[in-house]
């Protein structure tokens, strides 16, 4: 069995690693944490020029036409470097929503601009309930108006809404017993009258989140993605894709934590010996390695399943997210322990990984939620 | 103008220092396990210089590398950056070459390629840092050579370079085909784009062996080596920690200063 990456994917990983090592340093990440925008437009354009933003879009929409496994390679490196950028929100959350549900005209308008970096998009889905299922879309409602729809309500934890040009908004258009029916997706410009965006103070400042309030926001009928009330199947698939993508980021971060910790265990000398020679540290690192490798296997399987769009993709994705949620948090926590006192300081990067791990743990559902989905997939 | 760039794969200089290993008896530097070798950094500057010249004046850039199968990785990376073709020089008899026998094989390959106006090499390789192969190529091909340049430009058939000196640089014009070694001051190598990577992945790399190159077996690999390594070792640096005593921080500071003076450090 050969589960290895192709030569091109190895080259892509190396190129992404080298690029991010040079440009996404710890100092840069910390600078972006303080920056209200939370990303560097210059770096964004460089990433666009390298072709990263259009990697997974078909060539007719300005993309490179590559697969999800190729994207996984870049996402791992982004996670390892804690890249602060709207990549996830623009390319994945919004980009995939438009790609999967949008009309031909919408795809031709938006995807090339997302791919060349001239337009930043995001997905406004979650609400104060923080649920990632159809029933969580209740507060924001869209009602038919004269020439389109009027949207009102509050979205919460919307990634990068403060810098987005356009948002894919999931709104309840019909109250029905089956919560998966009655959700519609709209493309809404951020500067539309009636929209207010407030940056949230969150734990992981490498990734900005916002509250977005819609107060009688009017959008035209041409801004509807797909048909009325049938947005959930598209959104559900987008969530599968993005959950698999988040797992890729998480294993990249977890691997980097392991690498940093093992290097420190070899370098740090106490009682005349490197601390990595003590069983307490040795076994911590070994357990971290076990968890990281297992998480990688699960994440790669999910990436393959999403790429191939096989029927077991939802199961593979939930297995991966359940495992990665626990593994990244565990690894980042143990990484702090291996480093001892210095791992607890602001100056050391370990807390940045821990915070990212906590953010990722709950995004798109935590381990418990995904274990429940796994149980459902095996008919329990 | 068609340009040939020579490439060498070297152990990754960014690999953790504790992974550095040598084979003392075989007198070889070993590649760290699980860490792929990379293109020599100065060779990347040579590639970048070649690509900039191509973008300005047209022509073709061909990369050539002598090495084992793993060297295809370096050639593929060069092609991902924008190099048009890559050629791998590989034969069992090329093993354990030194600078002289490496230059010989590369020179024969460059002769076989035939069409070129400029040969660009990295200033030196980061594994042995000898800087001898480019001059060897120039000698064997009977070409003028300029080493360690910070700028290279084409003016018709003339190559104008800025050669780095200790206290500045000199500008030289070279007529006709020549060998130029590029230093890291010359440019910042580009990162391969996704399109470049995918294009490179589809390209085939021809492999030229000793027979194809028509080389003299006595001049290649260890047989043709003119240098003999008498010893290869990792120097050891032993640290010793001395605690300076004193009742108060001020006294400890004074004692530290006295001790440093005693050791003639200050």
């Amino acid at each position: 069995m050969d589960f290895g990456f192709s030569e091109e994917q190895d080259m892509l990983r190396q190129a992404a690693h080298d690029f991010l090592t040079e440009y996404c340093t710890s100092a840069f990440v910390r600078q972006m944490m303080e920056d209200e925008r939370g990303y560097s437009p210059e770096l964004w354009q460089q990433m666009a020029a390298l072709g990263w933003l259009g990697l997974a879009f078909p060539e007719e929409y300005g993309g490179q036409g590559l697969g999800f496994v190729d994207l996984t390679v870049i996402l791992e490196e982004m996670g390892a470097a804690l890249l602060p950028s709207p990549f996830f929100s623009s390319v994945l959350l919004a980009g995939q929503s438009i790609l999967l549900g949008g009309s031909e005209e919408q795809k031709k308008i938006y995807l090339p601009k997302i791919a060349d970096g001239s337009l930043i998009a995001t997905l406004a889905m979650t609400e104060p309930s923080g649920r990632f299922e159809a029933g969580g879309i209740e507060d924001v409602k869209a009602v038919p108006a004269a020439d389109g729809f009027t949207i009102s309500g509050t979205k919460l934890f919307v990634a990068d809404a403060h810098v987005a040009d356009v948002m894919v908004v999931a709104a309840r258009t019909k109250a029905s017993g089956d919560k998966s029916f009655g959700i519609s997706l709209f493309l809404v410009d951020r500067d539309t009258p009636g929209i207010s965006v407030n940056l949230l103070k969150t734990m992981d400042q490498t990734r900005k989140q916002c509250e977005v309030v819609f107060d009688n926001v009017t959008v035209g009928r041409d801004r509807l993605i797909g048909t009325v009330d049938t947005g959930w199947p598209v959104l559900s698939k987008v969530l599968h894709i993005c959950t698999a993508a988040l797992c890729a980021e998480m294993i990249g971060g977890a691997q980097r934590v392991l690498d940093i910790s093992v290097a420190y265990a070899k370098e740090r000398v106490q009682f005349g010996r490197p601390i990595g020679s003590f069983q307490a540290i040795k076994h911590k690192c070994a357990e971290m390695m076990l968890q990281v490798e297992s998480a990688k296997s699960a994440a790669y399987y999910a990436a393959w399943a999403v790429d191939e769009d096989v029927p077991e993709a939802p199961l593979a994705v939930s297995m991966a997210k359940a495992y990665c949620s626990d593994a990244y948090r565990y690894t980042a926590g143990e990484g702090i322990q291996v480093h001892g006192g210095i791992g607890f300081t602001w100056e050391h990067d370990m807390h940045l990984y821990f915070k990212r791990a906590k953010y990722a743990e709950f995004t798109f559902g935590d381990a418990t939620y995904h274990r429940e989905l796994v149980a459902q997939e095996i008919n329990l | 103008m068609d340009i040939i760039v020579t490439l060498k794969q070297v152990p990754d200089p960014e690999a953790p220092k504790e992974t550095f290993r040598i084979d003392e008896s075989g007198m070889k530097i070993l590649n760290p396990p699980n860490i792929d070798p990379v293109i020599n950094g100065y060779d990347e500057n040579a590639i970048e210089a070649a690509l900039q010249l191509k973008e300005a004046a047209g022509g073709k850039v061909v990369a050539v590398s002598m090495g084992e199968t793993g060297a295809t990785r370096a050639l593929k990376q060069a092609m991902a950056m924008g190099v048009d073709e890559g050629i791998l020089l590989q034969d069992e008899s090329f093993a354990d070459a030194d600078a002289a026998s490496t230059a010989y094989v590369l020179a024969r390959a460059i002769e076989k390629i035939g069409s070129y106006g400029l040969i660009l090499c990295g200033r030196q390789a980061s594994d042995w840092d000898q800087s001898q192969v480019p001059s060897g190529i120039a000698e064997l091909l009977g070409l003028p050579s300029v080493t360690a340049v910070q700028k290279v430009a084409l003016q018709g058939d003339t190559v104008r370079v800025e050669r780095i000196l200790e206290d500045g640089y000199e500008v030289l014009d070279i007529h006709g085909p020549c060998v130029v070694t590029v230093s890291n001051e010359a440019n910042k190598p580009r990162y391969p784009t996704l399109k470049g990577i995918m294009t490179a992945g589809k390209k085939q790399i021809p492999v030229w062996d000793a027979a194809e190159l028509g080389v003299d077996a006595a001049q290649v690999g260890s047989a043709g080596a003119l240098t003999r390594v008498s010893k290869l070792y990792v120097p050891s640096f032993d640290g010793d920690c001395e605690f300076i005593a004193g009742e108060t921080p001020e006294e400890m500071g004074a004692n530290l200063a006295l001790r440093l003076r005693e050791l003639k450090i200050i």
Side-chain angles (χ1 to χ4, degrees):
Chain A
M1 287 188 288
D2 181 8
F3 293 128
F5 288 95
S6 69
E7 190 178 41
E8 290 90 337
Q9 285 161 347
D10 284 339
M11 275 201 284
L12 181 57
R13 182 186 298 281
Q14 187 66 49
H17 174 83
D18 292 346
F19 178 82
L20 293 171
T21 300
E22 178 170 357
Y23 292 106
C24 187
T25 59
S26 169
F28 171 79
V29 171
R30 288 162 187 266
Q31 188 189 338
M32 289 302 109
M33 286 164 63
E34 301 296 323
D35 186 303
E36 195 164 288
R37 283 178 310 189
Y39 82 108
S40 152
E42 295 76 28
L43 191 64
W44 185 245
Q45 281 308 319
Q46 281 178 280
M47 285 161 56
L50 289 172
W52 292 6
L53 307 190
L55 187 151
F57 296 155
E59 289 179 64
E60 62 262 38
Y61 306 127
Q64 310 284 333
L66 300 181
F68 193 80
V69 178
D70 303 293
L71 186 63
T72 298
V73 168
I74 286 191
L75 287 165
E76 273 190 84
E77 293 302 321
M78 289 178 173
L82 296 171
L83 175 71
S85 91
F87 185 90
F88 209 95
S89 45
S90 192
V91 172
L92 284 156
L93 287 165
Q96 290 296 321
S97 299
I98 297 166
L99 182 63
L100 293 176
S103 65
E104 191 60 23
E105 192 186 355
Q106 286 167 340
K107 289 182 209 177
K108 284 192 167 147
I109 290 172
Y110 292 101
L111 296 182
K113 289 181 183 169
I114 293 175
D116 71 15
S118 60
L119 180 134
I120 292 175
T122 189
L123 171 69
M125 178 197 158
T126 41
E127 298 186 352
S129 69
R131 292 164 67 192
F132 289 91
E133 53 203 358
I137 301 168
E138 284 290 340
D139 190 62
V140 173
K141 296 181 177 71
V143 293
D147 49 355
F149 296 85
T150 301
I151 303 173
S152 292
T154 300
K155 290 287 183 188
L156 213 53
F157 316 119
V158 182
D160 304 309
H162 64 307
V163 293
D165 301 295
V166 66
M167 290 183 276
V168 174
V169 180
R172 177 66 58 185
T173 39
K174 185 170 281 178
S176 65
D178 177 6
K179 296 288 183 191
S180 63
F181 184 73
I183 292 170
S184 305
L185 303 177
F186 300 93
L187 282 156
V188 184
D189 292 339
R190 189 184 53 117
D191 58 5
T192 309
I195 292 181
S196 56
V197 177
N198 307 306
L199 201 55
L200 298 172
K201 283 189 177 175
T202 53
M203 185 169 72
D204 177 17
Q205 279 300 299
T206 64
R207 191 153 268 175
K208 307 291 186 193
Q209 296 185 348
C210 303
E211 174 197 56
V212 183
V213 180
F214 297 85
D215 182 12
N216 289 313
V217 175
T218 306
V219 291
R221 184 160 278 276
D222 60 328
R223 293 305 192 91
L224 178 69
I225 293 179
T227 54
V228 182
D229 297 332
T230 59
W232 180 250
V234 172
L235 204 50
S236 173
K237 200 159 187 179
V238 169
L239 287 176
H240 283 140
I241 292 170
C242 292
T243 305
L246 184 62
C247 289
E249 268 199 2
M250 293 166 86
I251 57 172
Q255 179 68 55
R256 183 60 59 86
V257 167
L258 175 63
D259 293 343
I260 295 170
S261 302
V262 170
Y264 184 74
K266 287 178 182 173
E267 183 186 299
R268 171 72 171 148
V269 174
Q270 274 291 22
F271 310 109
R273 293 160 58 182
I275 60 168
S277 66
F278 298 121
Q279 195 178 56
I281 300 295
K282 205 185 280 189
H283 283 194
K284 266 193 202 304
C285 291
E287 180 59 29
M288 288 161 76
M289 174 85 179
L290 280 169
Q291 298 227 7
V292 171
E293 282 299 315
S294 304
K296 278 180 163 181
S297 298
Y300 292 157
Y301 175 49
W304 171 84
V306 165
D307 205 13
E308 297 291 322
D309 199 17
V310 291
E312 67 263 35
L315 174 63
V317 167
S318 282
M319 286 197 300
K321 184 61 171 62
Y323 200 91
C324 291
S325 287
D326 287 341
Y328 193 10
R329 187 202 61 241
Y330 174 87
T331 310
E334 291 295 80
I336 291 174
Q337 296 298 326
V338 168
H339 280 78
I342 196 165
F344 205 68
T345 60
W346 178 260
E347 288 73 16
H348 201 280
D349 287 344
M350 206 48 79
H351 71 98
L352 302 180
Y353 286 95
F354 188 78
K355 290 168 184 169
R356 178 63 78 86
K358 290 299 287 182
Y359 154 82
E361 182 182 354
F362 294 103
T363 300
F364 306 136
D366 64 3
T368 306
Y369 172 72
H370 280 280
R371 283 198 176 91
E372 175 59 30
L373 293 184
V374 169
Q376 288 173 19
E377 288 291 333
I378 54 176
N379 300 317
L380 287 172
Chain B
M1 180 185 282
D2 290 346
I3 301 169
I4 293 174
V5 182
T6 61
L7 299 186
K8 184 177 187 182
Q9 272 204 325
V10 294
D12 190 344
E14 287 179 19
K17 64 179 188 297
E18 59 270 15
T19 62
F20 182 76
R21 299 275 186 280
I22 59 166
D23 172 7
E24 284 193 26
S25 57
M27 300 199 197
K28 288 179 188 169
I29 296 173
L30 302 175
N31 195 63
N34 304 321
I35 299 175
D36 290 323
V38 296
I39 296 184
N40 171 41
Y42 294 111
D43 294 351
E44 287 190 315
N45 294 114
I47 294 169
E48 180 61 37
L51 295 176
Q52 287 181 12
L53 293 175
K54 177 188 156 186
E55 283 158 4
K60 186 171 75 172
V61 179
V62 179
V64 59
S65 181
M66 188 185 92
E68 296 173 2
T69 309
T72 54
R73 189 180 152 86
L75 290 166
K76 287 270 182 178
Q77 195 189 327
M79 291 194 283
M81 290 169 74
V83 165
D84 298 288
E85 293 173 27
I87 299 166
L88 176 64
L89 314 176
Q90 186 186 74
D91 196 284
E92 277 183 16
S93 65
F94 297 167
D96 299 327
D98 74 344
S101 50
T102 302
Y104 172 71
V105 173
L106 286 169
R108 294 288 82 84
I110 291 167
E111 275 183 333
K112 186 173 160 64
I113 294 168
S115 164
Y116 62 88
L118 175 63
I119 299 164
L120 290 177
C121 310
R123 191 179 84 179
Q124 63 204 68
S126 61
D127 50 359
W128 288 93
D129 286 313
Q130 292 181 339
S131 319
Q132 292 187 7
V133 169
S135 300
I137 293 170
E139 175 68 18
L140 289 164
L141 295 175
L143 298 176
S145 116
V146 183
T147 55
V149 308
Q150 65 176 9
K151 191 173 179 185
V152 53
L154 297 179
Q155 295 184 332
D157 289 337
T158 302
V159 178
R160 172 166 286 189
V161 299
E162 289 180 6
R163 179 170 180 264
I164 301 167
L165 303 175
E166 259 184 41
D167 52 355
Y169 64 88
E170 61 184 358
V171 179
L172 300 168
D173 283 346
I174 316 152
H175 303 287
C178 56
V179 177
V180 171
T181 79
V182 183
S183 189
N184 56 304
E185 292 88 346
N187 53 47
K188 184 178 176 314
R190 67 191 65 188
Y191 287 98
T193 61
L194 258 179
K195 196 174 175 188
I197 289 170
M198 294 306 147
T199 306
K202 293 188 188 99
K203 286 185 178 173
Q204 296 295 314
I205 296 178
V207 181
W208 292 354
D209 60 10
E212 185 137 14
L213 287 167
V215 292
D216 174 2
Q219 293 191 62
V220 302
S222 56
L226 300 180
T227 49
R228 294 283 177 268
V229 180
S230 55
K231 188 179 179 189
L232 184 68
Y233 64 100
V234 178
S236 63
F237 299 97
D238 295 325
D240 195 13
C241 184
E242 184 179 333
F243 287 93
I244 303 296
E247 291 296 321
T248 62
E250 290 76 14
E251 190 183 330
M252 282 188 253
N255 289 342
L256 173 63
L258 289 170
R259 181 66 179 136
L260 290 173
R261 192 169 69 182
E262 189 182 320
L263 293 169
K264 297 189 173 15
I265 294 171
I266 58 173

